[in-house]
Short mmCIF file of all heavy atoms in Angstrom, two decimals:
data_model
loop_
_atom_site.label_atom_id
_atom_site.label_comp_id
_atom_site.label_asym_id
_atom_site.label_seq_id
_atom_site.Cartn_x
_atom_site.Cartn_y
_atom_site.Cartn_z
N PHE A 56 9.07 8.86 -4.99
CA PHE A 56 7.85 8.08 -5.21
C PHE A 56 7.78 6.91 -4.23
O PHE A 56 6.72 6.59 -3.71
CB PHE A 56 7.79 7.58 -6.66
CG PHE A 56 6.55 6.79 -6.96
CD1 PHE A 56 5.31 7.41 -6.99
CD2 PHE A 56 6.61 5.43 -7.21
CE1 PHE A 56 4.15 6.69 -7.26
CE2 PHE A 56 5.47 4.70 -7.48
CZ PHE A 56 4.23 5.33 -7.50
N LEU A 62 4.37 4.29 -1.03
CA LEU A 62 4.36 5.02 -2.29
C LEU A 62 3.74 6.40 -2.13
O LEU A 62 2.69 6.55 -1.49
CB LEU A 62 3.55 4.25 -3.34
CG LEU A 62 4.09 2.90 -3.76
CD1 LEU A 62 3.13 2.26 -4.77
CD2 LEU A 62 5.47 3.01 -4.35
N ILE A 76 -6.45 3.72 3.73
CA ILE A 76 -6.67 3.68 2.28
C ILE A 76 -5.80 2.60 1.66
O ILE A 76 -6.26 1.81 0.83
CB ILE A 76 -6.40 5.05 1.65
CG1 ILE A 76 -7.44 6.07 2.09
CG2 ILE A 76 -6.35 4.95 0.12
CD1 ILE A 76 -7.06 7.52 1.79
N THR A 80 -7.33 -0.68 -0.11
CA THR A 80 -7.00 -0.93 -1.51
C THR A 80 -6.42 -2.33 -1.67
O THR A 80 -6.81 -3.07 -2.59
CB THR A 80 -6.02 0.13 -2.04
OG1 THR A 80 -6.61 1.43 -1.89
CG2 THR A 80 -5.67 -0.11 -3.50
N LEU A 135 -13.64 2.22 -6.92
CA LEU A 135 -12.55 2.40 -7.88
C LEU A 135 -11.87 1.08 -8.22
O LEU A 135 -11.64 0.78 -9.39
CB LEU A 135 -11.51 3.37 -7.33
CG LEU A 135 -11.93 4.83 -7.24
CD1 LEU A 135 -10.87 5.65 -6.49
CD2 LEU A 135 -12.17 5.41 -8.62
N VAL A 136 -11.56 0.28 -7.22
CA VAL A 136 -10.81 -0.95 -7.46
C VAL A 136 -11.69 -2.03 -8.09
O VAL A 136 -11.28 -2.70 -9.03
CB VAL A 136 -10.17 -1.47 -6.16
CG1 VAL A 136 -9.49 -2.83 -6.38
CG2 VAL A 136 -9.17 -0.45 -5.62
N LEU A 159 -8.35 14.01 -5.17
CA LEU A 159 -7.41 13.68 -6.24
C LEU A 159 -6.23 12.87 -5.68
O LEU A 159 -5.82 11.86 -6.26
CB LEU A 159 -6.90 14.95 -6.93
CG LEU A 159 -7.93 15.68 -7.78
CD1 LEU A 159 -7.41 17.06 -8.18
CD2 LEU A 159 -8.30 14.87 -9.01
N GLU A 160 -5.71 13.29 -4.54
CA GLU A 160 -4.58 12.58 -3.95
C GLU A 160 -5.00 11.18 -3.48
O GLU A 160 -4.27 10.20 -3.68
CB GLU A 160 -3.99 13.37 -2.79
CG GLU A 160 -2.73 12.73 -2.25
CD GLU A 160 -1.87 13.67 -1.43
OE1 GLU A 160 -2.12 14.89 -1.40
OE2 GLU A 160 -0.92 13.16 -0.83
N ILE A 161 -6.16 11.07 -2.87
CA ILE A 161 -6.66 9.77 -2.42
C ILE A 161 -6.82 8.83 -3.62
O ILE A 161 -6.42 7.66 -3.57
CB ILE A 161 -7.99 9.93 -1.65
CG1 ILE A 161 -7.72 10.58 -0.28
CG2 ILE A 161 -8.70 8.58 -1.49
CD1 ILE A 161 -8.96 11.09 0.43
N THR A 162 -7.37 9.34 -4.70
CA THR A 162 -7.58 8.51 -5.89
C THR A 162 -6.24 8.05 -6.47
O THR A 162 -6.10 6.89 -6.87
CB THR A 162 -8.41 9.26 -6.93
OG1 THR A 162 -9.68 9.60 -6.34
CG2 THR A 162 -8.64 8.43 -8.19
N GLN A 163 -5.26 8.93 -6.51
CA GLN A 163 -3.94 8.53 -6.99
C GLN A 163 -3.31 7.47 -6.09
O GLN A 163 -2.70 6.52 -6.57
CB GLN A 163 -3.01 9.74 -7.10
CG GLN A 163 -3.33 10.63 -8.27
CD GLN A 163 -3.24 9.88 -9.58
OE1 GLN A 163 -2.18 9.38 -9.96
NE2 GLN A 163 -4.35 9.78 -10.29
N LEU A 164 -3.49 7.61 -4.78
CA LEU A 164 -2.97 6.61 -3.83
C LEU A 164 -3.60 5.24 -4.09
O LEU A 164 -2.91 4.23 -4.13
CB LEU A 164 -3.23 7.07 -2.39
CG LEU A 164 -2.66 6.19 -1.30
CD1 LEU A 164 -1.14 6.11 -1.38
CD2 LEU A 164 -3.10 6.75 0.06
N VAL A 165 -4.91 5.23 -4.30
CA VAL A 165 -5.60 3.97 -4.63
C VAL A 165 -5.02 3.39 -5.92
O VAL A 165 -4.74 2.19 -6.00
CB VAL A 165 -7.12 4.20 -4.76
CG1 VAL A 165 -7.83 2.95 -5.29
CG2 VAL A 165 -7.72 4.62 -3.42
N GLY A 166 -4.80 4.22 -6.91
CA GLY A 166 -4.23 3.75 -8.16
C GLY A 166 -2.82 3.20 -7.99
O GLY A 166 -2.48 2.15 -8.55
N HIS A 167 -2.00 3.87 -7.20
CA HIS A 167 -0.63 3.39 -6.98
C HIS A 167 -0.63 2.01 -6.32
O HIS A 167 0.12 1.13 -6.73
CB HIS A 167 0.15 4.38 -6.12
CG HIS A 167 0.41 5.70 -6.75
ND1 HIS A 167 0.67 5.87 -8.09
CD2 HIS A 167 0.45 6.94 -6.20
CE1 HIS A 167 0.86 7.15 -8.34
NE2 HIS A 167 0.73 7.83 -7.22
N TYR A 168 -1.48 1.84 -5.31
CA TYR A 168 -1.49 0.55 -4.62
C TYR A 168 -2.22 -0.53 -5.40
O TYR A 168 -1.95 -1.72 -5.21
CB TYR A 168 -1.98 0.70 -3.17
CG TYR A 168 -0.82 1.14 -2.31
CD1 TYR A 168 -0.54 2.48 -2.11
CD2 TYR A 168 0.05 0.20 -1.77
CE1 TYR A 168 0.56 2.88 -1.38
CE2 TYR A 168 1.16 0.59 -1.03
CZ TYR A 168 1.41 1.93 -0.84
OH TYR A 168 2.52 2.32 -0.12
N THR A 169 -3.09 -0.15 -6.31
CA THR A 169 -3.65 -1.14 -7.24
C THR A 169 -2.53 -1.62 -8.16
O THR A 169 -2.44 -2.81 -8.49
CB THR A 169 -4.83 -0.55 -8.03
OG1 THR A 169 -5.83 -0.14 -7.10
CG2 THR A 169 -5.42 -1.56 -8.99
N GLY A 170 -1.65 -0.71 -8.54
CA GLY A 170 -0.47 -1.08 -9.32
C GLY A 170 0.45 -2.03 -8.56
O GLY A 170 0.99 -2.98 -9.13
N VAL A 171 0.62 -1.81 -7.26
CA VAL A 171 1.42 -2.73 -6.45
C VAL A 171 0.76 -4.12 -6.45
O VAL A 171 1.45 -5.14 -6.55
CB VAL A 171 1.57 -2.21 -5.00
CG1 VAL A 171 2.19 -3.27 -4.09
CG2 VAL A 171 2.41 -0.94 -4.98
N ALA A 172 -0.57 -4.15 -6.37
CA ALA A 172 -1.27 -5.43 -6.41
C ALA A 172 -1.01 -6.15 -7.73
O ALA A 172 -0.83 -7.38 -7.76
CB ALA A 172 -2.77 -5.23 -6.20
N MET A 173 -0.96 -5.39 -8.81
CA MET A 173 -0.65 -5.99 -10.12
C MET A 173 0.77 -6.54 -10.14
O MET A 173 1.02 -7.64 -10.64
CB MET A 173 -0.82 -4.95 -11.22
CG MET A 173 -2.24 -4.54 -11.46
SD MET A 173 -2.24 -3.24 -12.74
CE MET A 173 -3.88 -2.62 -12.55
#
Side-chain angles (χ1 to χ4, degrees):
F56 181 68
L62 296 178
I76 292 166
T80 301
L135 290 172
V136 175
L159 290 168
E160 186 161 350
I161 289 166
T162 300
Q163 286 301 299
L164 184 62
V165 172
H167 294 324
Y168 277 90
T169 301
V171 170
M173 291 177 194

